[in-house]
Amino acid sequence: MRGRPLEFVTDLATSYGDITSHLLHGQRLVMVHHPDLVRRVLRDNGHGYTKQGTPDDMMLRPLLGNGLLTSSGRDWELQRKMYAPAFRPARITAYDEVVTDCTQALVKHLAEAAESGEPLPMDHHLTGLTLGILIRVISGTDVGEIGNGFGEAVDAVNRFIGEFDPAAGGEEQAKERMRAYLQARKFLHLVTGTLIAARNGQRASADDLLGQIIGADHIASTDDLRDQVLTLIMAGHETTAKTLTWALHLLDQHPDVADQLAEEVQRVVGDGVPDASHFPDLQLCRNVISESMRLYPPVWLMSRRSVADDELGGYTIPAGTLVSISQWVLHHDPRFHEEPYAFRPSRFGPDAPDMHPFSYLPFGGGSRVCIGQHLAIFEATLVLAMLSRFRFSVTPDCVVEPEALVTMRPRNGLSTKVTRR
């Protein structure tokens, strides 16, 4: 599982069927690989499974505290209710100018790179972009020069959480990894605290998400406030950045689709800047984003723990059992996705056949489905439309392969040459 996690979970499902069981550090772990069983865990009996005490919880809680990703019960309900108005589909269209303003700066940088021929680490640039967009959405504040440092800190944290093995490389290397993680966490907390302090000095606004969080009755301490804001920032920018990164890689591999996408943007937007009014007609852009998340789900594994005895696939699941679901397995199951490893954006077109709703879970499912899913799709679509003015060619020395840490990322980044269309 540690050495080749994607192959391991795929082999489990292929070799042993829709529900499997193996030992992990002495405890029994059940994995469900069929959408009907996934629906049981996440929705139909969602109250019977909790995130408390799961690997997800243990990995993220030391960094994010009791934020929306890690909280449960009444705490989670209050947080979800607080955030819901800001992430409703009708509200997110008001963020179009934030998205395009932030992307314009990247477009300018791409134009300069196209002139110089200098390759760019597009994964880093997209992380900086989505971070800047999210912080503007949350607080109205420009991230400025901290974006690169924040992205590097996120990478350090993800690598520590996803790969950390106390026995690997000896005691000194383990200490060094821990030191790097603690330093990165300190930096993330410092940036979050700075944003909160800056917002505290301004007049609250009903439309300002950070102002709403600061004024919420159930935010009991400075640490609670920091946890809420850091959770939104971490969860909201990293997955969108990785989706856009994989989309550029896939379009490089399929230049015919890239050409069709550029033609769509020219037809819908012309030479101007896309806005919310163009979003409904950018169908191929949305399809490419959706298909990128199917092939490379940003979150590839989730876990729950059973609260009471349950039955899954004819097997008794005792209370306290760890149950995991792999989006990677679900998204590549040939029973539900024809030619599952092929890049086919038309799967998500208006004329595509219906898809089992729990065979495609880039944002999770059930009551805990990602609250930011509509913003993520809206943002990624507008960004991709603006980037369609360029061609992105992965450099020969960059071997692109998935690395399954906390999120799914290219192991060696995405170094690209940029040219104008």
Side-chain angles (χ1 to χ4, degrees):
M1 180 63 173
R2 184 173 297 281
R4 50 183 194 92
L6 299 179
E7 292 88 343
F8 177 75
V9 294
T10 302
D11 288 347
L12 274 180
T14 302
S15 301
Y16 300 105
D18 290 336
I19 180 166
T20 63
S21 172
H22 64 279
L23 289 175
L24 177 69
H25 301 308
Q27 72 170 316
R28 180 68 57 187
L29 188 154
V30 172
M31 293 197 71
V32 292
H33 311 292
H34 192 285
D36 290 342
L37 300 178
V38 173
R39 177 168 52 198
R40 169 73 181 174
V41 173
L42 296 182
R43 192 189 71 183
D44 295 350
N45 191 31
H47 65 278
Y49 292 87
T50 179
K51 292 184 76 171
Q52 287 185 314
T54 64
D56 295 359
D57 183 44
M58 290 182 283
M59 285 190 305
L60 295 174
R61 189 171 290 274
L63 176 68
L64 302 178
N66 198 43
L68 190 62
L69 282 179
T70 50
S71 60
S72 298
R74 183 60 176 162
D75 281 348
W76 177 82
E77 290 174 3
L78 288 170
Q79 292 173 30
R80 184 86 179 196
K81 184 178 180 180
M82 175 177 63
Y83 297 136
F87 291 102
R88 288 182 181 135
R91 178 69 181 88
I92 63 169
T93 56
Y95 302 136
D96 59 352
E97 192 172 340
V98 172
V99 174
T100 55
D101 279 356
C102 291
T103 308
Q104 287 282 36
L106 176 58
V107 167
K108 181 180 178 182
H109 190 55
L110 295 175
E112 293 169 354
E115 293 296 325
S116 68
E118 176 187 4
L120 294 178
M122 282 306 300
D123 53 318
H124 291 170
H125 286 291
L126 291 169
T127 296
L129 171 63
T130 57
L131 174 65
I133 290 171
L134 192 67
I135 290 180
R136 281 271 299 276
V137 166
I138 292 172
S139 68
T141 305
D142 245 325
V143 70
E145 294 301 316
I146 67 170
N148 290 335
F150 198 100
E152 290 170 4
V154 170
D155 283 346
V157 165
N158 281 340
R159 189 162 298 283
F160 176 85
I161 292 173
E163 284 191 340
F164 182 62
D165 180 353
E171 184 178 351
E172 288 304 313
Q173 287 192 27
K175 287 181 179 178
E176 176 59 26
R177 287 194 294 268
M178 175 62 81
R179 185 200 64 77
Y181 166 75
L182 292 175
Q183 185 176 6
R185 186 178 70 170
K186 182 179 179 180
F187 177 76
L188 295 175
H189 285 177
L190 176 64
V191 171
T192 306
T194 301
L195 289 172
I196 294 169
R199 183 60 186 80
N200 269 326
Q202 303 170 10
R203 180 177 298 178
S205 165
D207 292 327
D208 186 299
L209 181 55
L210 184 50
Q212 293 176 35
I213 298 171
I214 290 172
D217 293 337
H218 62 278
I219 303 297
S221 68
T222 301
D223 286 347
D224 284 346
L225 179 57
R226 183 201 63 213
D227 293 345
Q228 298 301 326
V229 176
L230 183 55
T231 295
L232 283 177
I233 294 172
M234 290 286 289
H237 90 279
E238 169 80 352
T239 52
T240 306
K242 294 301 171 282
T243 295
L244 285 163
T245 299
W246 287 116
L248 293 187
H249 166 58
L250 289 164
L251 290 172
D252 175 44
Q253 291 186 314
H254 299 85
D256 55 329
V257 180
D259 290 343
Q260 293 167 21
L261 189 146
E263 290 168 5
E264 174 185 85
V265 174
Q266 184 62 37
R267 182 179 69 255
V268 173
V269 181
D271 295 327
V273 175
D275 58 34
S277 70
H278 299 118
F279 177 74
D281 296 319
L282 293 171
Q283 181 69 56
L284 182 55
C285 286
R286 295 201 306 278
N287 293 353
V288 167
I289 294 299
S290 297
E291 178 71 341
S292 299
M293 290 190 292
R294 187 191 66 82
L295 283 168
Y296 298 103
V299 177
W300 65 279
L301 187 74
M302 68 176 87
S303 56
R304 298 287 190 270
R305 198 172 287 279
S306 57
V307 175
D309 291 355
D310 194 18
E311 182 179 303
L312 291 174
Y315 293 91
T316 298
I317 307 299
T321 301
L322 184 63
V323 178
S324 287
I325 297 159
S326 173
Q327 290 95 319
W328 174 267
V329 171
L330 293 169
H331 291 191
H332 294 87
D333 190 326
R335 295 174 297 178
F336 306 101
H337 306 283
E338 187 179 353
E339 294 185 280
Y341 289 90
F343 177 59
R344 288 172 46 187
S346 58
R347 297 177 203 273
F348 296 92
D351 300 323
D354 290 340
M355 190 180 291
H356 192 302
F358 284 81
S359 71
Y360 178 69
L361 298 173
F363 298 104
S367 63
R368 295 195 69 129
V369 67
C370 176
I371 197 170
Q373 61 176 322
H374 300 296
L375 174 60
I377 294 291
F378 181 74
E379 174 188 340
T381 298
L382 293 189
V383 170
L384 189 62
M386 293 182 71
L387 298 186
S388 70
R389 316 289 189 193
F390 301 91
R391 296 182 187 274
F392 299 88
S393 304
V394 178
T395 57
D397 61 334
C398 181
V399 178
V400 182
E401 58 184 7
E403 182 178 30
L405 298 177
V406 179
T407 53
M408 179 84 66
R409 57 187 53 215
R411 184 183 303 275
N412 305 303
L414 193 72
S415 173
T416 64
K417 280 289 191 77
V418 183
T419 56
R420 288 184 178 275
R421 285 193 170 273

